[in-house]
mmCIF file of all heavy atoms in Angstrom:
data_model
loop_
_atom_site.group_PDB
_atom_site.id
_atom_site.type_symbol
_atom_site.label_atom_id
_atom_site.label_comp_id
_atom_site.label_asym_id
_atom_site.label_seq_id
_atom_site.Cartn_x
_atom_site.Cartn_y
_atom_site.Cartn_z
ATOM 1 N N SER A 81 -30.567 -1.749 -2.693
ATOM 2 C CA SER A 81 -31.643 -2.230 -1.830
ATOM 3 C C SER A 81 -32.974 -2.280 -2.570
ATOM 4 O O SER A 81 -33.220 -1.496 -3.493
ATOM 5 C CB SER A 81 -31.774 -1.308 -0.614
ATOM 6 O OG SER A 81 -32.863 -1.717 0.188
ATOM 7 N N ALA A 82 -33.834 -3.205 -2.101
ATOM 8 C CA ALA A 82 -35.202 -3.257 -2.631
ATOM 9 C C ALA A 82 -36.064 -2.171 -1.996
ATOM 10 O O ALA A 82 -37.160 -1.890 -2.474
ATOM 11 C CB ALA A 82 -35.801 -4.630 -2.360
ATOM 12 N N ARG A 83 -35.562 -1.581 -0.924
ATOM 13 C CA ARG A 83 -36.304 -0.479 -0.309
ATOM 14 C C ARG A 83 -36.227 0.738 -1.244
ATOM 15 O O ARG A 83 -35.141 1.076 -1.729
ATOM 16 C CB ARG A 83 -35.713 -0.120 1.052
ATOM 17 C CG ARG A 83 -35.740 -1.249 2.070
ATOM 18 C CD ARG A 83 -35.333 -0.705 3.420
ATOM 19 N NE ARG A 83 -35.127 -1.759 4.383
ATOM 20 C CZ ARG A 83 -34.797 -1.537 5.660
ATOM 21 N NH1 ARG A 83 -34.635 -0.291 6.091
ATOM 22 N NH2 ARG A 83 -34.629 -2.538 6.488
ATOM 23 N N SER A 84 -37.350 1.362 -1.426
ATOM 24 C CA SER A 84 -37.370 2.483 -2.375
ATOM 25 C C SER A 84 -37.914 3.766 -1.763
ATOM 26 O O SER A 84 -38.094 4.766 -2.457
ATOM 27 C CB SER A 84 -38.187 2.108 -3.609
ATOM 28 O OG SER A 84 -39.510 1.746 -3.229
ATOM 29 N N GLY A 85 -38.177 3.739 -0.451
ATOM 30 C CA GLY A 85 -38.726 4.917 0.200
ATOM 31 C C GLY A 85 -37.718 6.052 0.279
ATOM 32 O O GLY A 85 -36.507 5.821 0.330
ATOM 33 N N GLU A 86 -38.244 7.266 0.301
ATOM 34 C CA GLU A 86 -37.343 8.426 0.375
ATOM 35 C C GLU A 86 -36.511 8.389 1.649
ATOM 36 O O GLU A 86 -35.322 8.741 1.647
ATOM 37 C CB GLU A 86 -38.170 9.715 0.315
ATOM 38 C CG GLU A 86 -38.818 9.943 -1.040
ATOM 39 C CD GLU A 86 -39.623 11.229 -1.063
ATOM 40 O OE1 GLU A 86 -39.751 11.863 0.001
ATOM 41 O OE2 GLU A 86 -40.118 11.589 -2.147
ATOM 42 N N MET A 87 -37.133 7.986 2.780
ATOM 43 C CA MET A 87 -36.400 7.998 4.044
ATOM 44 C C MET A 87 -35.294 6.945 4.065
ATOM 45 O O MET A 87 -34.268 7.132 4.724
ATOM 46 C CB MET A 87 -37.356 7.779 5.221
ATOM 47 C CG MET A 87 -38.285 8.957 5.469
ATOM 48 S SD MET A 87 -37.400 10.556 5.543
ATOM 49 C CE MET A 87 -36.316 10.326 6.944
ATOM 50 N N ASP A 88 -35.506 5.817 3.360
ATOM 51 C CA ASP A 88 -34.441 4.817 3.270
ATOM 52 C C ASP A 88 -33.216 5.414 2.585
ATOM 53 O O ASP A 88 -32.078 5.174 3.000
ATOM 54 C CB ASP A 88 -34.923 3.598 2.491
ATOM 55 C CG ASP A 88 -35.987 2.818 3.232
ATOM 56 O OD1 ASP A 88 -35.782 2.525 4.415
ATOM 57 O OD2 ASP A 88 -37.038 2.538 2.624
ATOM 58 N N GLN A 89 -33.454 6.186 1.540
ATOM 59 C CA GLN A 89 -32.335 6.814 0.844
ATOM 60 C C GLN A 89 -31.685 7.883 1.712
ATOM 61 O O GLN A 89 -30.459 8.034 1.711
ATOM 62 C CB GLN A 89 -32.819 7.414 -0.477
ATOM 63 C CG GLN A 89 -33.416 6.363 -1.413
ATOM 64 C CD GLN A 89 -33.718 6.892 -2.791
ATOM 65 O OE1 GLN A 89 -32.994 7.718 -3.305
ATOM 66 N NE2 GLN A 89 -34.791 6.395 -3.394
ATOM 67 N N VAL A 90 -32.509 8.608 2.461
ATOM 68 C CA VAL A 90 -31.963 9.622 3.373
ATOM 69 C C VAL A 90 -31.090 8.947 4.431
ATOM 70 O O VAL A 90 -29.962 9.380 4.710
ATOM 71 C CB VAL A 90 -33.102 10.416 4.045
ATOM 72 C CG1 VAL A 90 -32.546 11.289 5.174
ATOM 73 C CG2 VAL A 90 -33.814 11.286 3.013
ATOM 74 N N PHE A 91 -31.591 7.863 5.056
ATOM 75 C CA PHE A 91 -30.824 7.154 6.085
ATOM 76 C C PHE A 91 -29.514 6.633 5.509
ATOM 77 O O PHE A 91 -28.471 6.671 6.169
ATOM 78 C CB PHE A 91 -31.635 5.994 6.647
ATOM 79 C CG PHE A 91 -32.748 6.409 7.554
ATOM 80 C CD1 PHE A 91 -33.918 5.664 7.627
ATOM 81 C CD2 PHE A 91 -32.655 7.549 8.333
ATOM 82 C CE1 PHE A 91 -34.956 6.049 8.453
ATOM 83 C CE2 PHE A 91 -33.686 7.955 9.166
ATOM 84 C CZ PHE A 91 -34.842 7.201 9.227
ATOM 85 N N ALA A 92 -29.578 6.110 4.278
ATOM 86 C CA ALA A 92 -28.381 5.556 3.659
ATOM 87 C C ALA A 92 -27.298 6.628 3.514
ATOM 88 O O ALA A 92 -26.132 6.404 3.862
ATOM 89 C CB ALA A 92 -28.719 4.962 2.287
ATOM 90 N N LEU A 93 -27.683 7.795 3.041
ATOM 91 C CA LEU A 93 -26.699 8.864 2.846
ATOM 92 C C LEU A 93 -26.231 9.425 4.180
ATOM 93 O O LEU A 93 -25.051 9.751 4.364
ATOM 94 C CB LEU A 93 -27.295 9.967 1.973
ATOM 95 C CG LEU A 93 -27.694 9.527 0.554
ATOM 96 C CD1 LEU A 93 -28.325 10.687 -0.201
ATOM 97 C CD2 LEU A 93 -26.497 8.989 -0.217
ATOM 98 N N GLU A 94 -27.156 9.541 5.143
ATOM 99 C CA GLU A 94 -26.783 10.116 6.441
ATOM 100 C C GLU A 94 -25.924 9.165 7.258
ATOM 101 O O GLU A 94 -25.247 9.594 8.189
ATOM 102 C CB GLU A 94 -28.027 10.510 7.225
ATOM 103 C CG GLU A 94 -28.719 11.738 6.642
ATOM 104 C CD GLU A 94 -29.797 12.275 7.538
ATOM 105 O OE1 GLU A 94 -30.252 11.534 8.436
ATOM 106 O OE2 GLU A 94 -30.179 13.450 7.353
ATOM 107 N N ASN A 95 -25.963 7.885 6.937
ATOM 108 C CA ASN A 95 -25.120 6.925 7.663
ATOM 109 C C ASN A 95 -23.795 6.668 6.971
ATOM 110 O O ASN A 95 -23.075 5.737 7.322
ATOM 111 C CB ASN A 95 -25.873 5.606 7.855
ATOM 112 C CG ASN A 95 -26.835 5.662 9.024
ATOM 113 O OD1 ASN A 95 -26.435 5.496 10.179
ATOM 114 N ND2 ASN A 95 -28.099 5.933 8.755
ATOM 115 N N GLY A 96 -23.489 7.481 5.949
ATOM 116 C CA GLY A 96 -22.168 7.397 5.341
ATOM 117 C C GLY A 96 -22.130 6.908 3.909
ATOM 118 O O GLY A 96 -21.051 6.819 3.314
ATOM 119 N N GLY A 97 -23.292 6.561 3.342
ATOM 120 C CA GLY A 97 -23.316 6.093 1.960
ATOM 121 C C GLY A 97 -23.094 7.234 0.972
ATOM 122 O O GLY A 97 -23.310 8.401 1.293
ATOM 123 N N ASP A 98 -22.656 6.884 -0.237
ATOM 124 C CA ASP A 98 -22.408 7.888 -1.279
ATOM 125 C C ASP A 98 -23.483 7.884 -2.351
ATOM 126 O O ASP A 98 -23.613 8.858 -3.086
ATOM 127 C CB ASP A 98 -21.043 7.630 -1.928
ATOM 128 C CG ASP A 98 -19.904 7.828 -0.955
ATOM 129 O OD1 ASP A 98 -19.710 8.964 -0.507
ATOM 130 O OD2 ASP A 98 -19.236 6.840 -0.616
ATOM 131 N N ASP A 99 -24.217 6.774 -2.466
ATOM 132 C CA ASP A 99 -25.236 6.697 -3.512
ATOM 133 C C ASP A 99 -26.215 5.588 -3.143
ATOM 134 O O ASP A 99 -25.964 4.795 -2.221
ATOM 135 C CB ASP A 99 -24.586 6.408 -4.875
ATOM 136 C CG ASP A 99 -25.391 6.995 -6.028
ATOM 137 O OD1 ASP A 99 -26.634 7.146 -5.869
ATOM 138 O OD2 ASP A 99 -24.799 7.286 -7.067
ATOM 139 N N PHE A 100 -27.315 5.515 -3.875
ATOM 140 C CA PHE A 100 -28.363 4.540 -3.579
ATOM 141 C C PHE A 100 -28.905 3.998 -4.898
ATOM 142 O O PHE A 100 -29.317 4.773 -5.770
ATOM 143 C CB PHE A 100 -29.486 5.233 -2.788
ATOM 144 C CG PHE A 100 -30.459 4.281 -2.140
ATOM 145 C CD1 PHE A 100 -30.371 3.994 -0.781
ATOM 146 C CD2 PHE A 100 -31.465 3.672 -2.881
ATOM 147 C CE1 PHE A 100 -31.265 3.121 -0.173
ATOM 148 C CE2 PHE A 100 -32.365 2.796 -2.289
ATOM 149 C CZ PHE A 100 -32.262 2.521 -0.927
ATOM 150 N N ILE A 101 -28.900 2.675 -5.040
ATOM 151 C CA ILE A 101 -29.412 2.034 -6.238
ATOM 152 C C ILE A 101 -30.544 1.106 -5.825
ATOM 153 O O ILE A 101 -30.369 0.251 -4.954
ATOM 154 C CB ILE A 101 -28.308 1.212 -6.944
ATOM 155 C CG1 ILE A 101 -27.113 2.107 -7.282
ATOM 156 C CG2 ILE A 101 -28.860 0.554 -8.206
ATOM 157 C CD1 ILE A 101 -25.878 1.343 -7.752
ATOM 158 N N THR A 102 -31.710 1.280 -6.445
ATOM 159 C CA THR A 102 -32.889 0.513 -6.063
ATOM 160 C C THR A 102 -33.016 -0.758 -6.893
ATOM 161 O O THR A 102 -32.851 -0.735 -8.111
ATOM 162 C CB THR A 102 -34.163 1.377 -6.246
ATOM 163 O OG1 THR A 102 -34.016 2.582 -5.503
ATOM 164 C CG2 THR A 102 -35.391 0.629 -5.750
ATOM 165 N N LYS A 103 -33.273 -1.878 -6.193
ATOM 166 C CA LYS A 103 -33.556 -3.153 -6.879
ATOM 167 C C LYS A 103 -35.007 -3.157 -7.353
ATOM 168 O O LYS A 103 -35.873 -2.617 -6.660
ATOM 169 C CB LYS A 103 -33.346 -4.333 -5.939
ATOM 170 C CG LYS A 103 -31.954 -4.485 -5.369
ATOM 171 C CD LYS A 103 -31.961 -5.633 -4.351
ATOM 172 C CE LYS A 103 -30.661 -5.752 -3.623
ATOM 173 N NZ LYS A 103 -30.729 -6.728 -2.507
ATOM 174 N N PRO A 104 -35.308 -3.815 -8.471
ATOM 175 C CA PRO A 104 -34.359 -4.417 -9.419
ATOM 176 C C PRO A 104 -33.652 -3.333 -10.207
ATOM 177 O O PRO A 104 -34.218 -2.272 -10.478
ATOM 178 C CB PRO A 104 -35.255 -5.272 -10.307
ATOM 179 C CG PRO A 104 -36.579 -4.572 -10.278
ATOM 180 C CD PRO A 104 -36.709 -3.993 -8.903
#
Side-chain angles (χ1 to χ4, degrees):
S81 177
R83 299 189 190 182
S84 57
E86 291 180 354
M87 290 310 298
D88 292 311
Q89 300 188 36
V90 170
F91 286 148
L93 298 178
E94 288 190 342
N95 279 279
D98 295 295
D99 209 333
F100 194 101
I101 303 170
T102 304
K103 300 175 187 172

